[in-house]
Short mmCIF file of all heavy atoms in Angstrom, two decimals:
data_model
loop_
_atom_site.label_atom_id
_atom_site.label_comp_id
_atom_site.label_asym_id
_atom_site.label_seq_id
_atom_site.Cartn_x
_atom_site.Cartn_y
_atom_site.Cartn_z
N CYS A 237 99.05 103.11 99.75
CA CYS A 237 99.36 103.50 98.36
C CYS A 237 99.68 104.96 98.28
O CYS A 237 100.55 105.42 97.58
CB CYS A 237 98.07 103.19 97.41
SG CYS A 237 98.22 103.86 95.85
N VAL A 238 98.98 105.82 99.11
CA VAL A 238 99.25 107.30 99.07
C VAL A 238 100.58 107.46 99.68
O VAL A 238 101.33 108.39 99.14
CB VAL A 238 98.08 107.95 99.91
CG1 VAL A 238 98.50 109.46 100.16
CG2 VAL A 238 96.78 107.89 99.19
N ILE A 239 101.01 106.76 100.69
CA ILE A 239 102.35 106.96 101.33
C ILE A 239 103.41 106.68 100.31
O ILE A 239 104.42 107.25 100.13
CB ILE A 239 102.51 106.08 102.59
CG1 ILE A 239 101.57 106.63 103.66
CG2 ILE A 239 103.93 106.06 103.01
CD1 ILE A 239 101.45 105.83 104.91
N LEU A 240 103.25 105.57 99.50
CA LEU A 240 104.20 105.11 98.51
C LEU A 240 104.27 106.20 97.37
O LEU A 240 105.29 106.53 96.92
CB LEU A 240 103.85 103.78 97.87
CG LEU A 240 104.11 102.57 98.65
CD1 LEU A 240 103.59 101.27 97.85
CD2 LEU A 240 105.55 102.46 98.89
N THR A 241 103.10 106.81 97.18
CA THR A 241 103.09 107.93 96.19
C THR A 241 103.88 109.08 96.61
O THR A 241 104.74 109.69 95.83
CB THR A 241 101.66 108.37 95.89
OG1 THR A 241 100.79 107.39 95.42
CG2 THR A 241 101.59 109.59 94.89
N LEU A 242 103.77 109.45 97.92
CA LEU A 242 104.55 110.61 98.49
C LEU A 242 106.02 110.22 98.48
O LEU A 242 106.94 111.04 98.21
CB LEU A 242 104.04 110.92 99.92
CG LEU A 242 102.66 111.44 99.91
CD1 LEU A 242 102.21 111.60 101.42
CD2 LEU A 242 102.50 112.77 99.22
N LEU A 243 106.45 109.02 98.80
CA LEU A 243 107.82 108.59 98.90
C LEU A 243 108.44 108.72 97.45
O LEU A 243 109.54 109.11 97.13
CB LEU A 243 107.96 107.19 99.30
CG LEU A 243 107.78 107.00 100.93
CD1 LEU A 243 107.77 105.50 101.15
CD2 LEU A 243 108.85 107.72 101.65
N ALA A 244 107.62 108.23 96.47
CA ALA A 244 108.08 108.38 95.10
C ALA A 244 108.38 109.71 94.67
O ALA A 244 109.29 110.14 93.94
CB ALA A 244 107.09 107.70 94.11
N PHE A 245 107.47 110.63 95.10
CA PHE A 245 107.60 112.17 94.87
C PHE A 245 108.87 112.67 95.48
O PHE A 245 109.65 113.41 94.71
CB PHE A 245 106.35 112.83 95.32
CG PHE A 245 106.37 114.31 94.97
CD1 PHE A 245 106.13 114.80 93.78
CD2 PHE A 245 106.67 115.25 96.01
CE1 PHE A 245 106.10 116.20 93.48
CE2 PHE A 245 106.72 116.60 95.80
CZ PHE A 245 106.43 117.06 94.53
N VAL A 246 109.05 112.32 96.69
CA VAL A 246 110.26 112.86 97.33
C VAL A 246 111.52 112.33 96.77
O VAL A 246 112.48 113.19 96.46
CB VAL A 246 110.16 112.48 98.88
CG1 VAL A 246 111.47 112.94 99.55
CG2 VAL A 246 109.11 113.23 99.55
N PHE A 247 111.61 111.05 96.48
CA PHE A 247 112.85 110.45 95.87
C PHE A 247 113.04 111.02 94.39
O PHE A 247 114.17 111.30 94.05
CB PHE A 247 112.71 108.91 95.77
CG PHE A 247 112.72 108.25 97.10
CD1 PHE A 247 112.12 107.00 97.29
CD2 PHE A 247 113.51 108.74 98.19
CE1 PHE A 247 112.19 106.37 98.59
CE2 PHE A 247 113.58 108.11 99.41
CZ PHE A 247 112.90 106.98 99.62
N GLY A 248 111.90 111.19 93.74
CA GLY A 248 112.02 111.79 92.47
C GLY A 248 112.61 113.15 92.46
O GLY A 248 113.32 113.58 91.55
N LEU A 249 112.19 114.00 93.45
CA LEU A 249 112.78 115.36 93.46
C LEU A 249 114.26 115.33 93.73
O LEU A 249 114.98 116.20 93.22
CB LEU A 249 112.11 116.14 94.69
CG LEU A 249 110.72 116.55 94.47
CD1 LEU A 249 110.20 117.24 95.80
CD2 LEU A 249 110.56 117.62 93.34
N VAL A 250 114.78 114.29 94.37
CA VAL A 250 116.19 114.25 94.66
C VAL A 250 117.00 113.91 93.43
O VAL A 250 118.09 114.51 93.18
CB VAL A 250 116.40 113.13 95.74
CG1 VAL A 250 117.95 112.91 95.96
CG2 VAL A 250 115.76 113.54 97.05
#
Side-chain angles (χ1 to χ4, degrees):
C237 176
V238 173
I239 291 172
L240 285 179
T241 302
L242 295 175
L243 287 174
F245 180 78
V246 172
F247 290 151
L249 284 178
V250 174

